Amino acid sequence: MSIVHVHLGPRSYNIHIGCNLEENLAQYFPAGSRSAKVCLITDQNSKVHAQLVASLLEKNGVITRLVCLPAGEDQKCLATLSRLYDELVEFKADRQTIVAAVGGGVIGDLAGFAAATFNRGIRLLMIPTTLLAMVDSSVGGKVGINHPKGKNLIGAFHQPMGVVIHLPFLQTLPDREFCSGLAEVVKYGMIMDEAFFRWLTHAGTDWRNTTIVEHIVETSCRHKATVVQEDEYETNGLRAILNFGHTFAHAIETVAGYGTLLHGEAVAIGMVAACRTAVRMNWFSEREIDECLIPLLQSMHLPIRLQNNWSVDSLLSTMKHDKKNIHGQLRLVLPRWIGKVESGVEVDEGLVREVLATRLAGPHELG
Ligand code: GLY
């Protein structure tokens, strides 16, 4: 059991990582919390976990309401948000009421945005249930919903009062979802921690082993906390390094059609694409890709190639519309070496086109 502290002055909070849910919840709701009211927001995939949380809170005297939504990215919309406001009103939520988001990234973003805006902002407790949410989306304060024209176009910064990571929740997570979360873990190694990356390459293939999971979750949360502490509102460019592989990934998700790939799967391919781009700029070593990054991603059952039916033109035009670009000029996060990336790198479109046209095959495969 460990605690990662996120230092953000008056918005500081702890991330509790471990297996004792009751004890970790009691940090926020000690026995006899009679007047506390918690609205738990979850989806069908995490309902049993939310019911467990609700029963533990009720044991300590907390008044709860459980709102269970259908699962899926399409819930991150105004209609569902509006339903959440209705639920909070019916619950007679006031400034003291707490929203607890029990679920993956969609629930965290959506419930978080409801908490950020209801009554001009009420407290939010993140209780992530997927690996991706544990290592990435539950920490950092970005919350929001999608607009039909773009993902996360409507949102806010609203730091949680705490994050409670109960590792046993991962036991019910399907393998594919679990491996998708591992892509973001590899990302932390690539962007800021070479030793951690090397450790991952020697950790074996039993990724669901309890000791390994605890180490990867704690290390990832520590790194996410470091970045967020130094660039809470994404103003000095540091937070941008978290987008390593993501400009490619968003284009891949769009072109493949949402729902075809899981987010982490697209990020895995995106990281390979960013590395191959960096090789063409003489920034990065091809050997590191073919002998280290690719075998690691493959051990996690993550994809590493672009499919032939994803058109290069469509991928490129989607990348050019990425909101991180300035005046349509492609800007990417590219690696210098494992553990070090640079953000906002202006990249020639023709070079990216060449990389995409190879479908990301290595030099020995291209002949
Ligand atoms: N909620 C995810 C982030 O702030 O990065």
Side-chain angles (χ1 to χ4, degrees), residues 42-54 102 169 172:
T42 192
D43 65 15
Q44 282 298 339
N45 293 341
S46 298
K47 189 173 174 188
V48 284
H49 304 322
Q51 284 168 331
L52 173 63
V53 173
V102 188
F169 282 161
T172 54

Side-chain angles (χ1 to χ4, degrees), residues 36-104:
K37 281 173 88 173
V38 175
C39 182
L40 297 114
I41 299 173
T42 192
D43 65 15
Q44 282 298 339
N45 293 341
S46 298
K47 189 173 174 188
V48 284
H49 304 322
Q51 284 168 331
L52 173 63
V53 173
S55 69
L56 292 171
L57 295 183
E58 282 161 14
K59 216 170 111 184
N60 284 359
V62 176
I63 302 158
T64 67
R65 181 182 185 98
L66 183 68
V67 181
C68 184
L69 303 171
E73 178 80 24
D74 56 358
Q75 292 301 310
K76 265 176 68 174
C77 63
L78 272 178
T80 307
L81 180 68
S82 174
R83 171 177 165 199
L84 293 184
Y85 293 141
D86 292 345
E87 296 275 358
L88 286 164
V89 170
E90 272 181 40
F91 190 40
K92 299 194 169 39
D94 57 25
R95 299 299 299 269
Q96 307 313 317
T97 302
I98 293 169
V99 166
V102 188

Side-chain angles (χ1 to χ4, degrees), residues 109 126 136-143 157 159 224 228 239 242:
D109 284 4
M126 288 291 205
D136 185 16
S137 58
S138 65
V139 178
K142 281 190 189 176
V143 292
F157 287 97
Q159 298 295 344
K224 179 83 188 247
V228 170
R239 209 166 162 145
L242 296 170

